[in-house]
Amino acid sequence: MVIPIYDVNPVRRRPWVTYTLIGTNVVFLLLTPLFTQVGAGQESVADICRQAAFFQHFAVIPHELVTNHQLPLVATGGVTPDGTACLIGPAGYTKIPALSVLIAMFLHGGWLHLLGNMLFLWVFGNNIEDRLGHLGYLLFYLVTGYAAAYGFALANAGSVEPLVGASGAISGVLGAYLVLYPKVRVWSLVPILFFIPLRLPAWLVLGMWFILQWVYSSGLAVAEGGEVAYLAHVIGFVLGAVVALPFRNRTPRREQDRFNIKTA
């Protein structure tokens, strides 16, 4: 998979919503337990239990989303007397499953998860915000995030594994970008022996990304990151592309002249 680092696609206005989304995601990670150690292999059983309790409280649980009822028993954050497992008990809080989707969009499993998502949002989000406007872009982002979470939950109704991350919403941004700016050149790192920077068309970068997500979600190949909700990526991407279709014929004149983009 190529890693996009910069797109040659100027904007007409400051992407304040994109900046705010990135900043909010960073702040949320700093507020989660173990934000410096998650995924680093350094956490103790007690640390893992606290993180599990946090995610069960605030993250999306597919079964909760489908039934609209929180789980009767959850991780409490404590550890069993022998120190080998997490304590399970009744939740000491009331959880609104639909609201958990919004919260989970700003939670991540660690720095690598966060940085990967924020890189894609940084590269591609500003132009979608420029096209849709600040408020329209924010609504678009939230709607695609909700659709991705609910779509994944419906396909995995029995799952009680927490689902976190902005990937569903960002996938919507990528789908919209592919529809609106397919010919824009994107500087990307391509893994050929070493990572080589190449300027590739957006349709190739994002098309390859989508195909990879679809292949993994369909089970045709096994991904190394088995806990990634690839189906949520596919749903968000497709919805984002569909929503962007009506805007293809509204390409600003300056962008047409700059990139020789033709609309049909």
Side-chain angles (χ1 to χ4, degrees), residues 21-22 25 108 114-123 166 170:
L21 289 172
I22 292 173
N25 276 278
H108 289 81
L114 173 74
L115 293 175
N117 276 343
M118 295 305 101
L119 173 62
F120 276 81
L121 184 59
W122 173 265
V123 173
I170 295 173

Side-chain angles (χ1 to χ4, degrees), residues 8-10 183-185 254-261:
V8 188
N9 196 1
K183 297 181 181 180
V184 167
R185 296 288 172 168
R254 194 176 83 174
E255 291 181 11
Q256 293 185 29
D257 295 339
R258 176 69 176 82
F259 301 111
N260 193 28
I261 297 174

Side-chain angles (χ1 to χ4, degrees), residues 170-184:
I170 295 173
S171 296
V173 172
L174 303 187
Y177 197 101
L178 178 62
V179 168
L180 297 175
Y181 305 105
K183 297 181 181 180
V184 167

Side-chain angles (χ1 to χ4, degrees), residues 1-3 188-200:
M1 178 181 172
V2 301
I3 302 174
S188 306
L189 298 178
V190 181
I192 304 176
L193 297 180
F194 300 98
F195 281 98
I196 300 175
L198 296 176
R199 199 171 74 159
L200 304 173

